[in-house]
Amino acid sequence: MGRLAARGAAAFCMAFALFQVALVLGAPLGAMTWGGSSPILAPAMRAASAAAAVYLLLAAAAMLVRSRDWGRSL
């Protein structure tokens, strides 16, 4: 059950990272994030979304290591 939960957490992190990347690339989804002040994020908020995407991808990698699907030698 733990491996399945780790895989699910990794999938969620990857999906949310893709959403953050879409925001960085200018998708008009900013109204759902960062306070919803504008549909397209300002450059500072795009940088924050890029950092969040990196963090989420690292978290997904940690979950995949935990599930023993990736990085078994780690």
Side-chain angles (χ1 to χ4, degrees), residues 20-55:
Q20 292 293 334
V21 169
L23 289 171
V24 170
L25 295 176
L29 303 170
M32 294 189 295
T33 61
W34 300 107
S37 60
S38 70
I40 297 176
L41 298 182
M45 289 301 188
R46 286 184 185 197
S49 286
V54 169
Y55 176 80

Side-chain angles (χ1 to χ4, degrees), residues 2-70:
R3 291 182 76 186
L4 183 62
R7 288 176 183 158
F12 177 79
C13 287
M14 285 188 261
F16 196 51
L18 287 174
F19 177 73
Q20 292 293 334
V21 169
L23 289 171
V24 170
L25 295 176
L29 303 170
M32 294 189 295
T33 61
W34 300 107
S37 60
S38 70
I40 297 176
L41 298 182
M45 289 301 188
R46 286 184 185 197
S49 286
V54 169
Y55 176 80
L56 287 163
L57 289 174
L58 289 173
M63 292 298 126
L64 290 176
V65 168
R66 176 75 174 128
S67 69
R68 297 181 183 168
D69 289 333
W70 186 61

